[in-house]
Amino acid sequence: NQRFDWEHTFLNYLHLIPGSDRVPLLYIACENSQSDPTPIQDFLQMYINAAPLVGVSYDSNNQKVYVLIIKFIVDNERAEGAIQAITQVNDGRQ
């Protein structure tokens, strides 16, 4: 399934990019609607889980993820059509 491969690759890419608060941008793409500050062994994953999903840093990082998504799908008509509904809100989380 090509969609799954693209999604997995993109999420790995977001794991490598620090956001404005130094937490990997992967937290923007998390499925949880609230942060989870529960301590775990993997400190980086704990930062990702605990990152707030509101505020100035979140808004800035969300916009970065949105721009990255747009860059990744340029010239892919099927992908561009799939996200057309969210391009009005410029939201990388949707």
Side-chain angles (χ1 to χ4, degrees):
N1 184 340
Q2 284 184 326
R3 180 177 182 273
F4 177 78
D5 290 343
W6 183 90
E7 181 179 359
H8 181 73
T9 300
F10 187 71
L11 292 176
N12 282 336
Y13 179 65
L14 291 180
H15 195 276
L16 299 174
I17 303 172
S20 60
D21 50 3
R22 309 306 296 162
V23 175
L25 290 177
L26 179 62
Y27 85 96
I28 298 295
C30 68
E31 294 182 12
N32 299 331
S33 61
Q34 296 182 354
S35 60
D36 178 8
T38 306
I40 59 173
Q41 291 288 330
D42 182 340
F43 287 114
L44 192 55
Q45 188 61 48
M46 186 172 67
Y47 293 142
I48 291 168
N49 294 349
L53 302 177
V54 295
V56 175
S57 288
Y58 169 79
D59 291 341
S60 173
N61 292 332
N62 187 25
Q63 185 65 32
K64 287 179 189 176
V65 171
Y66 174 78
V67 169
L68 290 171
I69 290 170
I70 297 302
K71 286 181 179 181
F72 270 91
I73 66 166
V74 166
D75 296 330
N76 182 332
E77 291 178 20
R78 185 173 180 192
E80 287 176 348
I83 69 152
Q84 188 134 18
I86 67 166
T87 58
Q88 301 302 317
V89 293
N90 295 341
D91 189 345
R93 193 159 161 76
Q94 289 190 18

